[in-house]
Amino acid sequence: MIDYWKCAFQNLGRKHMRTALTVLGIAIGVASVVTVANISQCGTNAVTGEMDGLGLNGLFITKSDQSQNATLNSDDLKIIRRVSQVESTTPVMTANTQVTVRNIQTKAILWGIDCNADNIISIQSVYGRLLNKRDISTEANVCLVDEAFSKKIYSRDNIVGKKISLVCGGIMQEFTVVGVIKTGTGLLQNVIGNYIPTFVYVPYTTVQAMNKRNDFDEIAVKLRSNTESDNIGNLILSRLNLAKGTSDAFVSNNLAKQKEGLLYILDIVTLILSAVGAVSLLVASLSIMTMMLVSVNERTREIGIKKALGATRSAILMEFLFEAVLISLIGCVIGIAVGTAISWAVSEYFHTVLTIRSDIMLISITFALLTGTVFSVYPAYLASRMKPVDALRQE
């Protein structure tokens, strides 16, 4: 076995340029598959984190378009909380607004939330504090902003205590920043940051007071683990409609399902791109076959001499097969190293955590070795079937 490997190294070293080009083809194919798999997984994890950070990980109960007179109020909130599968709820008020800070105006989405909203919407405090019960009860003009907003306006993370002006209820109001929250993975901000509106969180009671309302736009619901969200959503709707004496006044948006749908689309895109990489890997394996055929023709007399000295057909066959396997192995190692390096560089650029798809690496290595070996069988078979007399006659 060791002799076969030594012989393979020596034979490949004779035509090092041709060997290098064949190895490069395998390396490019493996690197493309590994890069696509790793980056796609990073993107999937980042999008999942962003969506969770926007609260897209539960149920949102809102009134239907067909029922303009239906409203959600504190009584409806109590009805939802009495459902045993519900872990936590929070009223939500949303509105498009404009933020003015230091003579800089930017569009924003105003979120009116309760003090327990961080149990449902992924809000992680970095500086200062989150909203508390006193803020809710006093309808305080306080707000939370994210790190991206802080850096954009003040070029620093911590802006607790600063004043910002918001349009709420048609009137420009001044709010005090009491907390800076974590932006998230930062993927969306880095890719399409100019098109994403700023999120500003304020007490929902403040939004109600400024708009002279006592109802909610939505109720966010977090369910207990191992709970069928669709069934519980229908149960909540039936209880709300029963209390209102209606049939279809409300709708339940299962945002977790929508997230799964988006991730499914990402998986399909990953599969398609991986298939393209696999095709390039297949083409590279065909180049191994071409190289082996040329090598057999160049080494015809050498094969004749070996067979005249007693080399068996199996020995000749294994000699060429080991060369093909060695080319595939070297190409796989280089491809994995390059693919991982590219994946790391991309993840660093977009500030995401690198996720290594070891399963895809194993599949690509297996595919490269398998195809490289299969396509080298025919040239190796031709070499092993040569008759010593005919081989020695060739120039």
Side-chain angles (χ1 to χ4, degrees), residues 55 88-92 111-123 130-131 136 144 201-202 204 220 222:
S88 181
T89 63
T90 183
V92 175
W111 283 70
I113 57 175
D114 202 352
C115 56
N116 67 334
D118 58 310
N119 293 329
I120 305 174
I121 303 173
S122 181
I123 300 176
L130 299 178
L131 301 180
I136 304 300
L144 307 175
Y201 299 89
V202 302
Y204 77 92
K222 181 180 181 180

Side-chain angles (χ1 to χ4, degrees), residues 12-69:
L12 293 178
R14 294 178 184 178
K15 303 291 182 179
H16 52 83
M17 182 59 67
R18 186 168 63 199
T19 300
L21 291 176
T22 307
V23 168
L24 181 62
I26 297 292
I28 291 174
V30 173
S32 62
V33 174
V34 170
T35 302
V36 167
N38 288 344
I39 293 177
S40 298
Q41 188 61 49
C42 290
T44 299
N45 294 341
V47 169
T48 301
E50 290 285 349
M51 294 176 72
D52 289 345
L54 297 179
L56 306 184
N57 197 25
L59 298 177
F60 269 42
I61 308 299
T62 185
K63 66 179 183 181
S64 66
D65 295 333
Q66 291 77 18
S67 181
Q68 299 297 328
N69 296 325

Side-chain angles (χ1 to χ4, degrees), residues 39 339-351 354:
I39 293 177
T340 303
I342 294 174
S343 303
W344 175 83
V346 173
S347 65
E348 284 294 308
Y349 179 79
F350 289 113
H351 304 289
L354 175 62

Side-chain angles (χ1 to χ4, degrees), residues 3 25 75 78 94 134 141 147 166 168 261 266 279 318 354 388:
D3 292 335
D75 293 332
K78 294 176 182 177
T94 58
R134 180 178 176 81
N141 280 25
E147 291 175 294
L166 301 173
C168 188
L266 291 176
V279 170
M318 293 299 292
L354 175 62

Side-chain angles (χ1 to χ4, degrees), residues 321-377:
L321 287 179
F322 267 74
E323 290 180 26
V325 171
L326 183 59
I327 290 174
S328 298
L329 278 175
I330 296 175
C332 287
V333 172
I334 296 175
I336 288 176
V338 173
T340 303
I342 294 174
S343 303
W344 175 83
V346 173
S347 65
E348 284 294 308
Y349 179 79
F350 289 113
H351 304 289
T352 61
V353 179
L354 175 62
T355 303
I356 302 296
R357 290 293 302 272
S358 56
D359 55 336
I360 298 298
M361 286 186 180
L362 182 60
I363 291 173
S364 61
I365 291 174
T366 303
F367 184 77
L369 291 176
L370 183 62
T371 53
T373 303
V374 168
F375 286 123
S376 64
V377 167

Side-chain angles (χ1 to χ4, degrees), residues 64-210:
S64 66
D65 295 333
Q66 291 77 18
S67 181
Q68 299 297 328
N69 296 325
T71 58
L72 289 168
N73 51 43
S74 57
D75 293 332
D76 301 315
L77 194 62
K78 294 176 182 177
I79 292 174
I80 297 175
R81 286 173 177 170
R82 284 198 292 266
V83 177
S84 59
Q85 294 87 349
V86 171
E87 181 177 325
S88 181
T89 63
T90 183
V92 175
M93 306 289 290
T94 58
N96 293 319
T97 187
Q98 191 155 333
V99 181
T100 303
V101 188
R102 304 175 72 183
N103 296 323
I104 299 175
Q105 291 185 343
T106 181
K107 292 182 179 180
I109 294 180
L110 187 66
W111 283 70
I113 57 175
D114 202 352
C115 56
N116 67 334
D118 58 310
N119 293 329
I120 305 174
I121 303 173
S122 181
I123 300 176
Q124 182 180 346
S125 176
V126 179
Y127 301 101
R129 61 175 177 84
L130 299 178
L131 301 180
N132 56 34
K133 292 182 179 180
R134 180 178 176 81
D135 297 329
I136 304 300
S137 61
T138 60
E139 304 170 358
N141 280 25
V142 296
C143 66
L144 307 175
V145 298
D146 61 19
E147 291 175 294
F149 175 80
S150 304
K151 292 178 180 178
K152 179 180 179 180
I153 302 300
Y154 285 94
S155 300
R156 68 173 189 268
D157 294 336
N158 190 355
I159 62 169
V160 174
K162 297 295 183 180
K163 306 287 187 179
I164 66 173
S165 297
L166 301 173
V167 176
C168 188
I171 303 173
M172 184 71 74
Q173 303 281 341
E174 189 176 75
F175 285 75
T176 302
V177 177
V178 295
V180 177
I181 61 175
K182 188 175 180 60
T183 301
T185 62
L187 175 70
L188 297 180
Q189 289 290 343
N190 285 313
V191 177
I192 53 174
N194 292 332
Y195 304 98
I196 298 179
T198 299
F199 278 29
V200 180
Y201 299 89
V202 302
Y204 77 92
T205 52
T206 303
V207 180
Q208 285 180 322
M210 291 181 177

